[in-house]
């Protein structure tokens, strides 16, 4: 029916295999949402400079509630740029536990 060359057959088999793999991962994620941690589905690849990040940048992280994003911006406006990542703990609403999560996505230059 189809007259594929050997290389074309390999490409078709590869595309089918990748499709099934994607369907399997999607199915796994839907039946067991905790698998997102294993698969790093929501992990952000790049880090944000805490002193240059805009409100929209902070909102895009999805780790911070909008109210806390505004608190970070207000703190920066009142006290000037963050001197270190540790000074993030001085923002109202950020304790040790939340700081541990946030230090993975921010840096201070």
């Amino acid at each position: 029916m189809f007259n594929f060359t050997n290389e074309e057959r390999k490409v078709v088999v590869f595309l089918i295999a990748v499709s099934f793999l994607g369907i399997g991962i999607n199915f796994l994620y839907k039946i067991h949402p905790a698998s997102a941690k294993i698969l790093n589905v929501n992990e952000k690849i790049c880090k944000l400079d805490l002193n240059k990040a805009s409100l929209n940048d902070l909102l895009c992280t999805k780790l911070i509630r909008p109210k806390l994003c505004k608190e970070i911006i207000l703190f920066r406006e009142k006290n000037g740029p963050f001197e270190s990542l540790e000074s993030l703990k001085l923002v109202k609403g950020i304790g040790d536990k939340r700081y541990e999560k946030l230090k993975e996505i921010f840096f201070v230059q």
Side-chain angles (χ1 to χ4, degrees):
M1 185 165 157
F2 296 110
N3 294 326
F4 291 133
T5 65
N6 194 23
E7 289 182 17
E8 290 172 334
R9 283 188 208 122
K10 289 178 184 178
V11 169
V12 169
V13 169
F14 174 76
L15 291 175
I16 291 171
V18 169
S19 298
F20 278 119
L21 180 64
I23 291 169
I25 290 172
N26 188 28
F27 180 74
L28 175 66
Y29 178 67
K30 285 183 180 180
I31 63 169
H32 193 29
S35 62
K37 290 181 180 178
I38 297 169
L39 300 172
N40 293 327
V41 172
N42 297 322
E43 188 170 316
K44 193 156 178 80
I45 294 173
C46 62
K47 290 187 173 191
L48 291 173
D49 184 350
L50 196 53
N51 290 321
K52 294 180 182 176
S54 68
L55 181 61
N56 286 334
D57 293 336
L58 295 174
L59 290 170
C60 288
T61 62
K62 297 183 182 179
L63 285 176
I64 310 172
R65 299 181 318 271
K67 184 177 178 181
L68 189 56
C69 293
K70 291 175 186 173
E71 288 290 331
I72 292 171
I73 298 293
L74 285 174
F75 182 87
R76 190 172 65 193
E77 288 173 355
K78 287 181 183 177
N79 302 306
F82 289 93
E83 293 178 12
S84 69
L85 206 52
E86 285 278 327
S87 57
L88 189 60
K89 290 181 184 179
L90 300 173
V91 176
K92 181 181 175 184
I94 299 179
D96 291 333
K97 194 172 185 180
R98 179 156 305 178
Y99 170 75
E100 290 301 317
K101 291 179 183 178
L102 295 180
K103 74 178 184 179
E104 300 298 322
I105 61 169
F106 292 118
F107 70 94
V108 174
Q109 218 173 9

